Amino acid sequence: MATLEIRDLHVTVEADNATKEILKGVDLTVKQGETHAIMGPNGSGKSTLAYSLAGHPKYTITEGTVLLDGEDVLEMSVDERARAGLFLAMQYPVEVPGVSVSNFLRTSATAVRGEAPKLRTWVKEVKEAMERLNMDSSFAERNVNEGFSGGEKKRHEILQLELLKPKIAILDETDSGLDVDALRIVSEGVNRVRETGEVGTLLITHYTRILRYIKPDFVHVFSAGRIVESGGAELADKLEDEGYEAYTKGGVSA
């Protein structure tokens, strides 16, 4: 069973000519087949956690460990983490001019699987995945995310998720900027992957609306760079009713 273990993770970032600690001791375990929702106010460190796990050079790990199936993630390069089974769906997917979606997907699949997919099988696999996400087949020949709407970019992220089949999927505010129809389609794509039971999902969000479609097994409240409360899906309902004030008042800034 694939397991991501995060222990006492501390992360800093350079800002305004000073070093600022963003994560202040994060402990979390995500197992294959589980869905964990990370919720919290702006600036609490949720996205920092996502990008630190993926290996973004902006963030410096100062303490703690991250293990994937017992292997030290922090010793891996970004591409090694992806090949090991970590997947990040970004809040703001970047454009890659000059690289078509079809080439990008097949190159990524080749790197993850260790060999190039057979072309005939691969074309069918991509076409069917795009149809499930209501993506026009012409998108395969467009440059990665270039000229895509917000919803199209997020569908492309979930298309990658479905095709690459990672061990652990980190979804950073996948619901951001989506209208109702796009949110439903994207959520259905995430659920298809979850239903295989082969992926552990770390879903980062501000709002509960995506949790109406994607039911978490665990909900964690993030505040001031750490997890301050954990519970089941009912915790998300509490946050919907009461907000984050109870976790940020009293001089504790998130």
Side-chain angles (χ1 to χ4, degrees), residues 58-231:
K58 174 181 176 181
Y59 303 100
T60 301
I61 312 294
T62 57
E63 287 184 58
T65 59
V66 179
L67 301 178
L68 178 59
D69 294 342
E71 298 293 324
D72 188 349
V73 170
L74 303 183
E75 290 296 319
M76 300 177 186
S77 62
V78 173
D79 60 304
E80 287 171 340
R81 297 181 196 203
R83 287 198 296 269
L86 275 183
F87 175 87
L88 172 64
M90 295 181 284
Q91 181 180 358
Y92 303 109
V94 297
E95 297 182 0
V96 187
V99 178
S100 71
V101 168
S102 60
N103 285 341
F104 172 77
L105 291 173
R106 192 160 189 257
T107 301
S108 299
T110 299
V112 169
R113 300 179 186 185
E115 61 180 9
K118 294 182 179 179
L119 192 56
R120 183 181 300 176
T121 305
W122 175 249
V123 169
K124 182 174 183 289
E125 192 177 346
V126 172
K127 181 180 179 181
E128 290 176 349
M130 293 182 76
E131 287 175 351
R132 289 193 295 267
L133 288 163
N134 285 9
M135 295 180 70
D136 191 284
S137 59
S138 64
F139 274 81
E141 301 313 314
R142 293 175 60 179
N143 290 339
V144 173
N145 293 325
E146 196 170 42
F148 286 24
S149 68
E152 289 164 349
K153 289 180 179 180
K154 295 303 176 71
R155 293 185 203 197
H156 181 221
E157 294 283 285
I158 304 308
L159 176 64
Q160 296 170 49
L161 174 62
E162 289 205 53
L163 293 171
L164 298 179
K165 301 177 175 63
K167 293 179 180 178
I168 302 292
I170 305 164
L171 310 180
D172 185 26
E173 299 196 33
T174 296
D175 53 339
S176 175
L178 297 183
D179 61 28
V180 174
D181 291 331
L183 177 62
R184 175 183 54 79
I185 291 168
V186 164
S187 298
E188 288 172 352
V190 174
N191 283 330
R192 280 192 296 273
V193 174
R194 291 174 65 229
E195 286 164 5
T196 67
E198 298 175 354
V199 179
T201 305
L202 186 58
L203 178 63
I204 296 170
T205 184
H206 288 295
Y207 308 110
T208 59
R209 66 175 192 153
I210 194 170
L211 303 184
R212 297 169 193 161
Y213 299 93
I214 303 171
K215 301 298 183 184
D217 300 298
F218 306 94
V219 175
H220 310 279
V221 183
F222 227 73
S223 181
R226 59 173 63 92
I227 293 172
V228 294
E229 185 172 352
S230 297

